[in-house]
Amino acid sequence: MLKLIRPRHLANRACRLLSTHQQPNSSSQDELSSTVKRIREEMAADKQKLNWRKPIGDRPEDWNSKLKLFSDSEQTSDFIVMMQQPLDLSPSNLRNWWDKRKERIERHMQQFIPERHKILGPELAAAHFILYRGGAVKFTEERRWHRATEDGEFSLPNKFSPDFKVEALRCDNMILYFEGLENLRCLDHLKFLSFHNVSTFDDFCLDRVSGSEYPRLEVLDLSGTSITAEGLSCLYRLPSLKLLILNDPKESLEMELATAMLEVALAPLKIVASNVIHQEDEN
């Protein structure tokens, strides 16, 4: 006859089996802990051996001369190629080196500073950035343009104020790089933006501008910049754009095709040549 097992006895037996599987013996635990400890000790020893890989000049025991001021901390391939070339102290080469150095410094100075935006807010932070570099700013409910004096001074609050909303920005003839455009973002009331005669403004800059959240931007002046027909495709991100100013919308077949497609995609957008707009301003 078959021996029947009561359900209660079956449950007790299952619990005993599970407990034996879930509780490893002490010897296996000791072996695991010793293995982990050995691996950690080996990793610490390897890190200690790799200390010699620090670049020369970053170690406290290294000696440096005053010529380190002229060294390139990045040590890129361009620097290595330059060191392999014969020394050229001609006036033109020195001038080229000095211009590149100034550009590198200016790019660094134009980088986005989060602390400034936390204190001023995006509106006043953008206004301070543009006025400091010789541009002009116009706020909503005001008819005058704010400009800095010859001494570089201007009267704007030094902390956040909800009364100041940027409506227009003029960056004409400025030295503006890709890094600085990140300071012109989240301007919900911006309707006019001009980069007239900003030679450093290219397709990459335009891509950053189109993605900087300008839901009300209506007029964009790109005359005198270095943009191409390929860069215009990113303007689909500006749905409220009504007027686009270029050097010559018909300067090439590619530019003419790009502007025509843009006018169809962003109707009622109108694209005009710069000579039409800026001749009227001069008159």
Side-chain angles (χ1 to χ4, degrees):
M1 295 180 64
L2 296 174
K3 184 178 181 182
L4 298 177
I5 301 176
R6 295 182 181 180
R8 186 178 64 182
H9 294 168
L10 182 61
N12 294 335
R13 184 180 299 178
C15 292
R16 287 196 297 270
L17 290 174
L18 287 174
S19 62
T20 57
H21 285 288
Q22 291 177 354
Q23 297 179 357
N25 52 23
S26 58
S27 61
S28 62
Q29 288 182 348
D30 296 340
E31 183 180 356
L32 180 61
S33 61
S34 62
T35 304
V36 173
K37 183 178 180 181
R38 178 178 56 81
I39 293 175
R40 289 178 177 175
E41 291 177 353
E42 292 178 356
M43 292 177 61
D46 291 339
K47 290 182 180 179
Q48 187 67 23
K49 293 178 181 179
L50 291 176
N51 284 336
W52 65 271
R53 293 177 177 267
K54 290 184 178 180
I56 296 175
D58 293 344
R59 296 173 296 190
E61 65 271 14
D62 292 331
W63 178 84
N64 298 304
S65 68
K66 295 181 179 179
L67 295 176
K68 186 183 178 182
L69 297 173
F70 301 94
S71 65
D72 190 351
S73 59
E74 296 181 357
Q75 298 291 325
T76 60
S77 58
D78 295 337
F79 177 78
I80 297 175
V81 171
M82 182 190 71
M83 294 299 295
Q84 294 175 348
Q85 301 296 326
L87 186 61
D88 185 5
L89 296 179
S90 62
S92 59
N93 191 52
L94 291 176
R95 178 58 185 244
N96 186 30
W97 171 83
W98 183 250
D99 291 341
K100 289 182 178 180
R101 180 177 175 81
K102 289 196 301 182
E103 178 183 340
R104 190 163 57 248
I105 295 174
E106 183 62 25
R107 285 180 182 273
H108 176 75
M109 295 298 295
Q110 292 187 13
Q111 288 182 356
F112 177 76
I113 303 176
E115 291 78 9
R116 176 171 54 192
H117 276 245
K118 289 181 181 179
I119 297 173
L120 298 173
E123 307 282 345
L124 282 174
H128 276 261
F129 180 82
I130 294 300
L131 291 176
Y132 180 78
R133 287 164 176 80
V137 180
K138 181 179 179 298
F139 296 98
T140 57
E141 300 179 359
E142 289 188 7
R143 301 188 63 180
R144 71 183 186 93
W145 286 83
H146 290 257
R147 297 180 184 273
T149 62
E150 295 181 355
D151 299 330
E153 298 179 355
F154 49 87
S155 57
L156 283 180
N158 291 326
K159 60 182 180 179
F160 174 75
S161 175
D163 299 331
F164 290 84
K165 303 294 182 182
V166 177
E167 184 181 19
L169 289 175
R170 280 193 175 274
C171 309
D172 302 351
N173 304 303
M174 285 178 53
I175 300 177
L176 192 61
Y177 295 103
F178 178 83
E179 291 80 0
L181 295 173
E182 193 174 358
N183 296 280
L184 311 179
R185 63 181 186 177
C186 301
L187 303 178
D188 297 333
H189 299 79
L190 185 66
K191 294 183 178 180
F192 178 89
L193 181 59
S194 175
F195 296 101
H196 178 60
N197 286 340
V198 180
S199 58
T200 54
F201 193 93
D202 55 11
D203 292 342
F204 297 99
C205 297
L206 183 59
D207 182 70
R208 166 157 285 186
V209 167
S210 64
S212 297
E213 301 180 17
Y214 303 143
R216 302 183 183 181
L217 185 62
E218 298 180 356
V219 180
L220 180 60
D221 190 352
L222 300 177
S223 59
T225 61
S226 303
I227 64 166
T228 62
E230 289 79 4
L232 295 178
S233 59
C234 64
L235 292 180
Y236 73 91
R237 301 170 182 165
L238 303 175
S240 301
L241 194 62
K242 297 180 181 179
L243 179 62
L244 178 62
I245 305 171
L246 302 175
N247 291 332
D248 184 7
K250 298 182 179 180
E251 66 180 11
S252 64
L253 182 61
E254 291 80 6
M255 180 66 73
E256 189 173 0
L257 179 61
T259 53
M261 295 176 64
L262 200 58
E263 286 180 336
V264 173
L266 295 178
L269 173 64
K270 184 179 181 182
I271 302 176
V272 299
S274 60
N275 55 3
V276 177
I277 300 297
H278 292 290
Q279 281 183 359
E280 293 179 358
D281 293 340
E282 293 176 358
N283 295 334

